[in-house]
Amino acid sequence: MKNRFGKLIDLKPDLPPAIYSSAKTVVYVDPKCPIFNYINTLRSNASKETATRALKAVATHTGYSGIYDICWKTIKHTDVSNLVQILISKQLSPNTINLYVSVVKSICERAYLLDMITRREFDAILKVKGDTGSRIKKHKVITRNEFSELLARIQGVNKANSTKKIRDTAVFHLLIGTGLRRNELATLNMSSFEIDSSNADKPIITGQYVKVIGKGNKERHVGIHPITREALNNWLAVRGASPGPVFVRVLKDGNFNVDPENHLSGSAIYGLCKSYGTVAPHSLRRSYATWLDESGTKLSRISKLLGHAKEATTAVYIIDDEQNSYNDILNNLF
């Protein structure tokens, strides 16, 4: 694939940043560029981020530093096949490889629609398969005791910054208490909750649900446990009732401003997990599903709460440790 790479367009300094910018990778507005044309079709910021990161990874794995090094005018199906082999040789998981290949194919489709490649070549690219293998991945979930220990670490680390302590406590209560994806949490606005703002200094969440805009721009409503609501109300007492993002960046001195440009990003939420020594946000989402399953909640209900289109996807999220599985066989098989 490397021999097919080259500059596609010249980026002008006055070109406005496009619809998405992530981790130093900017997608620029250019109607003649297949990258922009593809990213522009994605509805949610989470999908834009995923596609942009995948495209950046493809460039990196093939020896280039930027996504605009890829010359879609000369790309061939053999290049996509070579990409698959490179990714397999680097021992990436089948799911990751298939994601990267899917993004490449989608951009190739836009290149075809822009008359950059022929229909014959595009059909050949579509026939290239990703990694057909499978892998059992060991996912980490946390126990309720480990979650309590996490909350204690948040308290201890932020003794000199009570604002960040209250915010981060609310962030993790919401992650474990609603199973939101990190980007879903990052895009929450005050309008996502039913709030009594009669006292502007101390708004209170009164509703039982949070409105979430998930993948594919699909809306769902997730119940809020009273413990989760209490943590959120503690944060709102600090944040105030002004409209805008629920969670914002907080400075070391505890100051912050409620501004759409100052919202806590999905990457920042991932960083919080690392800084507090806990599992990744998606593993907290899996913990939410596992806790509900252990308590007897139906799989169909958990699936709806997570925003999954298929229950089979939800089943993968639920972690049943090997000892419990063995005990089930020992006690119930014969």
Side-chain angles (χ1 to χ4, degrees), residues 50-125:
T50 299
T52 304
R53 286 176 181 242
L55 187 56
K56 171 65 176 176
V58 167
T60 300
H61 284 301
T62 49
Y64 292 87
S65 59
I67 64 176
Y68 286 101
D69 286 335
I70 305 174
C71 186
W72 302 98
K73 292 180 180 179
T74 58
I75 194 168
K76 305 293 183 184
H77 66 281
T78 51
D79 303 321
V80 182
S81 295
N82 289 339
L83 171 65
V84 173
Q85 294 306 313
I86 290 172
L87 298 177
I88 290 175
S89 70
K90 295 191 175 185
Q91 298 185 334
L92 273 66
S93 73
N95 285 343
T96 299
I97 294 173
N98 292 331
L99 169 64
Y100 292 174
V101 172
S102 175
V103 169
V104 168
K105 287 182 177 180
S106 296
I107 298 176
C108 287
E109 178 183 21
R110 294 292 149 177
Y112 159 67
L113 294 174
L114 290 168
D115 291 325
M116 290 182 175
I117 61 176
T118 66
R119 178 74 214 191
R120 182 176 180 179
E121 189 56 56
F122 176 51
D123 286 342
I125 289 172

Side-chain angles (χ1 to χ4, degrees), residues 5-6 34 45 49 51-52 57 71 75 81 84 125 129 134-135 145 155 164 172 187 203 207 216 248 262 276 294 323:
F5 277 50
N45 281 338
E49 179 177 8
T52 304
C71 186
I75 194 168
S81 295
V84 173
I125 289 172
K129 294 183 179 180
S134 62
R135 192 179 301 174
N145 285 339
Q155 300 289 316
K164 191 172 184 298
F172 283 99
T187 55
V248 294
N262 194 45
Y276 289 122
E294 290 173 348
Q323 184 60 49

Side-chain angles (χ1 to χ4, degrees), residues 176-290:
I176 201 73
T178 60
L180 299 188
R181 302 176 178 94
R182 57 174 167 160
N183 286 307
E184 291 173 343
L185 187 145
T187 55
L188 286 180
N189 282 287
M190 294 294 281
S191 58
S192 302
F193 299 93
E194 291 182 20
I195 298 176
D196 179 0
S197 301
S198 56
N199 183 350
D201 293 331
K202 194 175 181 180
I204 298 175
I205 295 175
T206 56
Q208 295 180 333
Y209 302 92
V210 54
K211 181 174 69 176
V212 182
I213 306 299
K215 287 185 176 180
N217 209 33
K218 295 180 180 178
E219 181 180 302
R220 70 183 190 277
H221 292 79
V222 181
I224 310 172
H225 192 279
I227 292 177
T228 306
R229 188 186 299 113
E230 180 182 1
L232 284 168
N233 282 333
N234 289 340
W235 164 239
L236 293 188
V238 176
R239 181 202 177 279
S242 57
V246 174
F247 295 107
V248 294
R249 293 192 292 268
V250 175
L251 301 177
K252 292 182 179 179
D253 60 6
N255 289 323
F256 65 91
N257 65 80
V258 178
D259 184 277
E261 298 300 321
N262 194 45
H263 74 90
L264 199 64
S265 67
S267 296
I269 293 169
Y270 186 88
L272 287 178
C273 291
K274 292 184 68 175
S275 66
Y276 289 122
T278 190
V279 296
H282 217 70
S283 291
L284 292 173
R285 179 170 160 83
R286 292 177 184 275
S287 301
Y288 168 78
T290 301

